[in-house]
Amino acid sequence: MPISRRQFAVLGGGVAAGLATGGLGAGPAAAAAPPEGHGKPSEDHGKPPHTVTFDRHSLLVDGRRTPVWSGEFHPFRLPAPRLWRDVLQKLRAAGLNTVSVYVAWNYHSPAPGRHDFTGVRDLGAVLDTAAETGLFVTVRPGPYINAEVDGGGFPGWLIATPGRARSDDPGYLAHVDAWLTAVNAVVAPRQYTRGGGTVLLYQLENEYSSHLTDGIGAAYLAHLYAKVRADGIDVPLFHNDKGHPGDWTPGSFPTGGEEGRYLYAFDAYPDPAKTPPDYGWYGPGGPHGGSTASPGTPGFIGEFGGGWFDCWGGAEFDGRGYPGARASRDAAYERRSALTNLANGITLQNIYMTFGGTSWGWLPAPIVYTSYDYGAAVDEARNLTAKVPALRQFGELLTAVPDLARLDRAADTAADDPAVKVYHLANPETGAQFYVVRNDDDSDRRFTLPVTTAAGPLTVPAAERIRLHGRDAKLLATDLPLGTRRLRYTTAQPMIQETVARQDLAVLVARPGDPVELGIVCPEPPTVTVLAGAATSAHDPAAGLLRINATVRGLTRIRLTGGGSATPLLLLLADDEATATLWRHPTDTGTVLVRGPALLRTARLHGDAARLTGDTTEECELEVWAPGAVERLRWNGREIPATLTPSGSLLAHGRLPGPAPVRLPELTGWRRRAENPEAAPDFDDSDWPPADLRTSASSTPVPAGQPVLFSDDYGFHYGDVWYRAAFSGPTGGTLALAYQTGTQGLLMAWLDGTPLGTHRMPVPARNQASKASWTATATLPLPDTGEGDHRLAVLVRPMAHAEDGGSNDSHKAARGLLSAALTPAGGAPAPELTWRLRGGDPTADEERGPLNSGGLYGEREGWHLPDHDGDDWEPVSLPYTETRQGVAWYRTTFRLDLDRGLDASLGLTLTDDPGRAYRAQLFVNGWNMGQYINDVGPQHTFVLPEGVLHHRGRNTLALAVLTDGTGPAGPGTVALTLLGLAAGGTT
Ligand code: IPT
């Protein structure tokens, strides 16, 4: 399907006509995004396929320069398919043209040879929805992904197989091939090149360490390359180099002579407290004569930190949790990062994360807790944060100013304040000049800047000096088309350029209170009308220039007529708050610009009506600029009377309503049931596998004289594991239990039903969560219960497998008990312990998948499931005080009856005295939605996505609570909380 006209409607005659595309084809220079609705088979039947290629400057889609402005989203972190469209629409509304998705192998594969792409694992639905939303997709199926998930995405069963992972070991590669065959069968038909979707790029492996210099690494990547191509993936492939040492560039491993179809990318997570790093000039002609790493490919950042993860205890953000992450990587950080990257010749950037989501069930790697909010632009509860306008301003800039996809470094220039760093760039084909100005100081700066223009050198501005806040950045430009006119220079950053209803329309942005100046080429003096806000203008007949000065606050509106053009021009100068409710949306028959609502999701034109859908979070105006034929507005299906304004827009009479308030039920009617019958001496464990292995696939050595006790070797990969040992002889003395769990693991033991104590791994310090192996030996005193037959019972809570970032099989470190030694009192000989063990069955829950099920008795018996009959459980009220060591469950049910047409984002908040030592696994309608550790934190609120939660109907909540018996503990206050509310939504 040819790129439709609407994609390029933004370009304006001047830019498009003035640009050559380096011999790559005539026509417009940049593709903003795929057309909405792309990939519906009916639309594409028989249409010619697209091409996706690149040169050293940028990606080329159908020969057209296409900057990639991408956001990372993990569908596996949102187990509610109905909300995928919501998040994808929000990413698109955030100005992104691409979404990057990891595909987590462990999420899809409960057992060797089984690959499940149904329900919450429906990757095809994710890709189809992205195409319908108008987003390109980068697919990243590993096989290794890291991503702060269990084993870095390797399935539990794979962890228990021999053969070095992330190498050319044939056993490992056989499993990898089976995975890739399965995932590629979903991806291949949805490639943009096939016309069945919008998959644009595909990543091989992830941050693959280069220390495998003995040829293994090259052989491994060559295998992946060949396999992926053989599966029909024909879009460009790339790898994301950790840091930017220049590893895995084209030609560094065999690609069957296809170096030209493989891109170099690197990952960047700069310290937000420091000056943004220059990664070197990735465009041509720079100090290195092109990228040092890969001169033939465009500058590409596969992951750029748009936030960061927090660890148990919250040391990363001083206990503030993800609001702390969002404060450290705020809107100004996003601006200075995106613009610095642009100034370094980077034309493909992916922000990791743009929606972080939830590491539910046993997904979280030991280094993170349940929330993976990440401080991203769209928060875990799916709210747009104050970072969104920054992303959107940049994305719209790339669309409005296609010259930015082909930049050279230009002659150095300096502001008259040395704290301001200036990057001067130019498009050699259009002559447009760009100045990324960045303030690396903490205080505000005011400066002037000598710039180059087609009319000779100038120092801008002529009037009030440019203001740049501390640690912020903006882009100034000279010689850009402005609809039918030309912009000689601007100190406000361009955002939108459209011609709507025979009126040129331009949006330029700045921080609230910033003075800005525009020089517009006008041979004749135009008529200037300030429709809203304050602005002054002066015409210089000698220079043929109209100078406009304004202080940006809210939305300043300036209308120009005459002055050398027959087309009127509406200039909108917007601050960030005004940008947050100003939405551009292409349609089949022209672009619309909408002001007022908190979100615009879709826009379609039908005859004389503009049909809009979106969200309001409070009462607001609705103003629409639409092609001339449009006289009527519909908002979320409702006709809205509107009148034409002097701005050339339609303004709705009255205001759109905000959402009606929501009342949430209190959680009462709790019932309790204690468990851990496994601790009792007479518990029947005869159907548990005996721990009879002598060798292990683990990287942890099997302790001498011990059977293998590692849970993975017996098929138990996720959640709690029980061990029981029978022995005869005297007791007393001590029991030493060595175990390994990852941070925040714990162990509890019983002898003949009597608690022996609990041992816990310490809370990690900052940056330490992934450093230690988290192995400990619990030495527990044994009561003297006399001679005879005895039963030991041990419960281990492992906290998922380590990641394998260093390609050294660190994910294969054993989980569970490592060894056990009983030293009876009085020097009696140590009895032999024969163990059986039992954990969760990764194949038990086909709907919720392998990572939902742990090995607690209640889980094995289905106490967490909605259809479990808990009516005979003991009625209790919360807070409840447990004094025993072990596991107890609390259940309640509640009904919700939320209006359709409301998007309410709900959470569960647990609060209590932090001195009470307990943890709870939270099950909502059977879904394992996270782990709460009362005396560690920092997470108290757990997001419950609609779909998991029934917004109109009955819900079951079950808490599986572990208490250590050392003091009063047990669940405190548990409440539903409202985390976001909008009228609209996708449902
Ligand atoms: C980079 C990984 O590629 C990604 O999967 C994720 O783990 C991210 O980091 C951190 O959230 S690894 C890089 C930071 C060393």
Side-chain angles (χ1 to χ4, degrees), residues 662-733:
V662 159
R663 271 237 305 282
L664 299 176
E666 276 184 34
L667 300 177
T668 55
W670 291 95
R671 288 176 180 267
R672 171 183 177 273
R673 181 166 177 191
E675 49 133 284
N676 57 278
E678 298 94 336
D682 58 353
F683 180 81
D684 179 7
D685 61 16
S686 57
D687 62 344
W688 291 15
D692 54 4
L693 295 172
R694 293 281 145 189
T695 59
S696 166
S698 160
S699 60
T700 305
V702 180
Q706 297 271 337
V708 174
L709 293 171
F710 314 157
S711 63
D712 289 298
D713 290 297
Y714 299 94
F716 307 126
H717 309 302
Y718 309 120
D720 297 278
V721 186
W722 277 95
Y723 294 84
R724 297 187 86 249
F727 70 95
S728 28
T731 50

Side-chain angles (χ1 to χ4, degrees), residues 150-151 154-162 697-698 712 717 801-802 811-813:
D150 185 299
F154 283 141
W157 59 261
L158 182 84
I159 290 173
T161 59
S698 160
D712 289 298
H717 309 302
H801 303 89
H811 63 297
K812 288 189 176 175

Side-chain angles (χ1 to χ4, degrees), residues 9-13 482-485 496-507 527-531 555-562 565-572 582 584 590-594 623-629 643-651:
V10 295
L11 295 176
L482 186 64
T484 48
R485 296 175 176 77
I496 293 173
Q497 274 220 54
E498 294 289 343
T499 301
V500 182
R502 288 182 294 283
Q503 169 173 261
D504 290 333
L505 206 152
V507 182
T527 306
V528 180
T529 318
V530 178
L531 299 170
L555 197 64
T556 302
R557 303 172 185 230
I558 305 161
R559 187 171 152 89
L560 252 75
T561 50
S565 170
T567 310
L569 167 69
L570 180 68
L571 283 173
L572 299 174
L582 195 61
R584 183 186 63 85
T591 297
V592 297
L593 190 72
V594 174
E623 182 177 12
V624 179
W625 286 266
T643 320
L644 199 63
T645 75
S647 298
S649 57
L650 287 166
L651 181 65

Side-chain angles (χ1 to χ4, degrees), residues 15-29 63 65 406 427-430:
V15 175
L19 268 179
T21 50
L24 287 154
R65 294 214 174 281
R406 168 65 182 96
N427 182 308
E429 291 155 2
T430 64

Side-chain angles (χ1 to χ4, degrees), residues 594-641:
V594 174
R595 184 189 65 80
L599 175 68
L600 179 71
R601 294 179 183 274
T602 63
R604 311 224 186 293
L605 301 182
H606 279 264
D608 64 349
R611 298 184 175 178
L612 312 171
T613 68
D615 289 3
T616 58
T617 52
E618 56 187 8
E619 220 182 65
C620 65
E621 293 188 329
L622 175 67
E623 182 177 12
V624 179
W625 286 266
V630 173
E631 290 173 351
R632 291 165 47 219
L633 302 181
R634 283 178 89 83
W635 176 256
N636 290 342
R638 222 161 46 88
E639 184 88 21
I640 308 283

